[in-house]
Amino acid sequence: MKLKKIKPGLQQALEENGLTESNELQQETFATIKSGADCVIIAPDGSGKTTTIVINVIQQLVSEAEESPRAIIFAETKEKVLELEALFEKFGGDTPLQVYGVHDRGDIDYDKNYISTGIDVLIGTPNKLNEMFSSAGYNVNRLKMFIVDDANAILKARHDTKIARISDAISKTQRLIFSDVVTERLELFADKIMEEPNWFEFDDEDHDQVSEI
């Protein structure tokens, strides 16, 4: 996959899994995301938004686990949490990132104990992440990326208050929102947790090279 200054190990892992060409979404957003700027990215289902998240998190994070996560990803459901975990495993290559997913059906005490051993990326449903951050004191000073995937579906379920509460506790981090459509609720949410984000919008014709989620 030809993206400017992509880590060699990540590029090799992508190509080994059949992603030899980046699509318009990935080409247009990669440099801006890599710069650390806040972004709202709008693209249809099947355009590779979730793959784009995984690529950029692997690209950004230094490969050593710390006590508190350096990337948090909100996912709509348990199934989406598992999909994201699988993509990190698939594209992680030689990058030893510690990735852990939590969801509403999991055991919160087990999850807390596992996270305390040191992870890099925490993926979870809004309910579970809100519960965990409300009951445990995580050090968010090292957090580099705060990401909301499938934002339209998450906001429809009225999880925006939970996510904003966690965001408010974080003074400085990169915030990324991915959605299939722009809605008034999405715009209000972006205004609440971001300052002057970059907006990217893609249609069905822009992602014909991608078969990933």
Side-chain angles (χ1 to χ4, degrees):
M1 179 177 282
K2 302 300 185 289
L3 293 169
K4 190 174 182 180
K5 295 184 179 179
I6 189 171
K7 289 180 178 177
L10 173 57
Q11 178 167 322
Q12 180 179 344
L14 292 170
E15 292 178 352
E16 287 174 352
N17 284 279
L19 289 184
T20 57
E21 298 292 336
S22 55
N23 68 353
E24 187 73 16
L25 185 158
Q26 290 149 356
Q27 291 172 8
E28 293 296 323
T29 63
F30 186 72
T32 305
I33 294 175
K34 189 153 66 76
S35 76
D38 287 358
C39 299
V40 180
I41 297 170
I42 311 298
D45 290 339
S47 60
K49 294 190 296 296
T50 304
T51 299
T52 300
I53 290 173
V54 173
I55 290 171
N56 281 278
V57 171
I58 294 172
Q59 173 72 23
Q60 296 262 50
L61 296 190
V62 177
S63 303
E64 56 183 61
E66 298 186 10
E67 185 175 345
S68 296
R70 287 173 295 132
I72 296 173
I73 305 173
F74 291 85
E76 180 191 3
T77 62
K78 172 186 175 181
E79 291 73 23
K80 196 57 183 282
V81 170
L82 296 177
E83 286 180 6
L84 276 156
E85 284 188 290
L87 283 179
F88 274 104
E89 178 71 22
K90 186 177 182 180
F91 299 139
D94 60 356
T95 305
L97 289 178
Q98 298 295 313
V99 180
Y100 189 66
V102 298
H103 51 79
D104 299 359
R105 300 177 191 175
D107 184 312
I108 191 168
D109 290 328
Y110 178 87
D111 291 336
K112 287 179 182 178
N113 289 335
Y114 190 95
I115 291 168
S116 69
T117 65
I119 65 168
D120 299 290
V121 183
L122 177 60
I123 309 166
T125 55
N127 281 333
K128 193 53 173 280
L129 289 176
N130 181 63
E131 182 182 5
M132 295 188 71
F133 274 83
S134 297
S135 60
Y138 294 110
N139 177 11
V140 294
N141 292 328
R142 296 278 290 167
L143 190 71
K144 292 188 66 175
M145 305 180 81
F146 184 96
I147 303 169
V148 182
D149 194 14
D150 294 325
N152 183 43
I154 286 176
L155 297 181
K156 277 184 177 179
R158 301 186 180 278
H159 291 308
D160 38 335
T161 301
K162 299 183 182 76
I163 299 173
R165 185 182 299 122
I166 298 173
S167 177
D168 288 344
I170 303 166
S171 59
K172 185 178 181 181
T173 189
Q174 180 182 31
R175 292 171 171 84
L176 304 173
I177 296 175
F178 291 77
S179 180
D180 58 343
V181 295
V182 178
T183 65
E184 181 179 0
R185 193 180 191 99
L186 177 68
E187 291 176 334
L188 291 172
F189 178 67
D191 286 343
K192 183 174 179 59
I193 72 167
M194 295 174 158
E195 292 185 10
E196 300 182 357
N198 296 273
W199 284 76
F200 295 88
E201 295 189 45
F202 302 89
D203 57 31
D204 290 302
E205 296 180 355
D206 295 325
H207 68 274
D208 54 2
Q209 296 170 319
V210 164
S211 59
E212 295 292 336
I213 56 176

